[in-house]
Amino acid sequence: MMKYYIFQDKHMLVQKETHALPTKTIWNSLAQLGALAHIFTETHYAYAAASFATQTAPPKTCEHITIREYFAAHDEAEVFCAARAKSLLNWRTSHLFCPACGTLLKDDKKLIARNCTSCNTQYFPRIEPCIIVLVTRGNELLLARHKERNQNIYTCIAGFIEAGESAEQAVVREVHEEVGVEIQNVRYVGSQSWPFPDQLMLGFRAEYKSGTIRVQEDELYEARWFPRNALPPFPKQGSMGWRLISGAYG
């Protein structure tokens, strides 16, 4: 059965009350109104995706919710499909023209790629690897409030992997840069596609080694140690932060 994903920035269109995806009828109606852009289909995964025109009001039977809310309410298989759709939409809308010569790009007939008909350069979806790490000290968790995220939510330390680094090196560096402490026993536990806009989050756990918390003020509001039985508000289900803090990875 075909699924229809309609995204608008960090939100997606769903039916009111049930928060089910739009039906084919809703999709066709919006397409006829010219409210959908950058439409594409992946028959292998049985979905169609598009961006929603900002100047168009949603149908009366629908509303926008955050993609994070949708992730929190669905299983891993559905989150994969929605994340793939959003990631590919982000890539397609940011790769309309060839960066080398400016020619309009066209979809490859077989591969998930876009081709330049002028200089014959081929472009594949871009994925940016990031790390996110839960640091523990006995029964305590090191959590921080990030300036670029919900100010009332405490979560793990995270950041992009820099050129030349391994993922483990990035974990050590990010923790030291953001909170000033040294860590040990870094171990990988899992990963998650995070289409905001094109990250692959690599999840780790690590243990405190030494040092006193000293926050990187341009990145964080604060960072603190919290007993596992007295945790502050943290990310909802559906995110890598939730998996790490809730103990889903042990």
Side-chain angles (χ1 to χ4, degrees):
M1 183 176 178
M2 201 72 170
K3 291 181 284 191
Y4 298 93
Y5 297 107
I6 303 173
F7 298 101
Q8 187 179 65
D9 192 23
K10 295 182 181 180
H11 295 76
M12 59 191 298
L13 194 70
V14 295
Q15 298 182 65
K16 289 182 178 178
E17 297 181 3
T18 64
H19 283 185
L21 291 172
T23 63
K24 182 178 181 180
T25 300
I26 294 172
W27 173 278
N28 289 340
S29 176
L30 290 171
Q32 290 173 2
L33 290 172
L36 303 182
H38 307 292
I39 297 171
F40 72 98
T41 302
E42 278 203 295
T43 54
H44 178 74
Y45 292 106
Y47 77 81
S51 58
F52 189 78
T54 56
Q55 69 274 16
T56 305
K60 293 182 179 180
T61 58
C62 296
E63 63 182 346
H64 285 103
I65 63 170
T66 66
I67 299 172
R68 290 171 184 251
E69 287 180 80
Y70 189 80
F71 283 1
H74 291 82
D75 62 22
E76 192 170 311
E78 175 57 18
V79 169
F80 158 77
C81 198
R84 180 179 176 88
K86 177 58 174 167
S87 292
L88 289 179
L89 180 65
N90 291 340
W91 168 66
R92 292 170 65 87
T93 55
S94 64
H95 283 73
L96 299 176
F97 299 93
C98 176
C101 70
T103 301
L104 185 68
L105 296 175
K106 292 187 177 181
D107 291 334
D108 190 276
K109 293 182 179 180
K110 295 182 179 179
L111 303 174
I112 305 300
R114 308 207 79 195
N115 302 324
C116 177
T117 56
S118 179
C119 67
N120 297 319
T121 306
Q122 189 172 58
Y123 298 94
F124 290 89
R126 185 172 118 185
I127 299 173
E128 297 189 4
C130 303
I131 60 87
I132 181 169
V133 54
L134 177 66
V135 179
T136 61
R137 186 177 67 178
N139 196 44
E140 295 178 308
L141 310 184
L142 178 58
L143 302 176
R145 285 199 301 138
H146 294 255
K147 288 189 174 181
E148 296 299 322
R149 303 172 196 172
N150 188 324
Q151 297 180 15
N152 297 319
I153 296 296
Y154 288 78
T155 189
C156 307
I157 302 301
F160 288 96
I161 299 175
E162 294 185 354
E165 285 185 324
S166 68
E168 291 79 4
Q169 288 171 329
V171 169
V172 174
R173 175 185 54 77
E174 283 288 347
V175 172
H176 185 264
E177 285 181 355
E178 294 198 4
V179 294
V181 303
E182 303 295 333
I183 57 175
Q184 60 188 352
N185 299 329
V186 176
R187 58 193 187 279
Y188 169 79
V189 293
S191 63
Q192 179 185 25
S193 174
W194 199 241
F196 301 106
D198 48 22
Q199 284 92 349
L200 175 64
M201 301 296 295
L202 306 176
F204 289 83
R205 297 191 67 175
E207 297 173 3
Y208 169 80
K209 182 180 180 181
S210 63
T212 302
I213 292 176
R214 172 183 43 79
V215 299
Q216 187 176 23
E217 294 183 354
D218 59 341
E219 295 280 346
L220 306 177
Y221 284 109
E222 64 171 323
R224 294 167 52 193
W225 293 103
F226 291 93
R228 191 175 289 278
N229 63 355
L231 296 178
F234 60 87
K236 295 180 179 180
Q237 186 171 350
S239 69
M240 179 60 69
W242 177 85
R243 295 181 193 181
L244 290 167
I245 297 168
S246 69
Y249 285 129

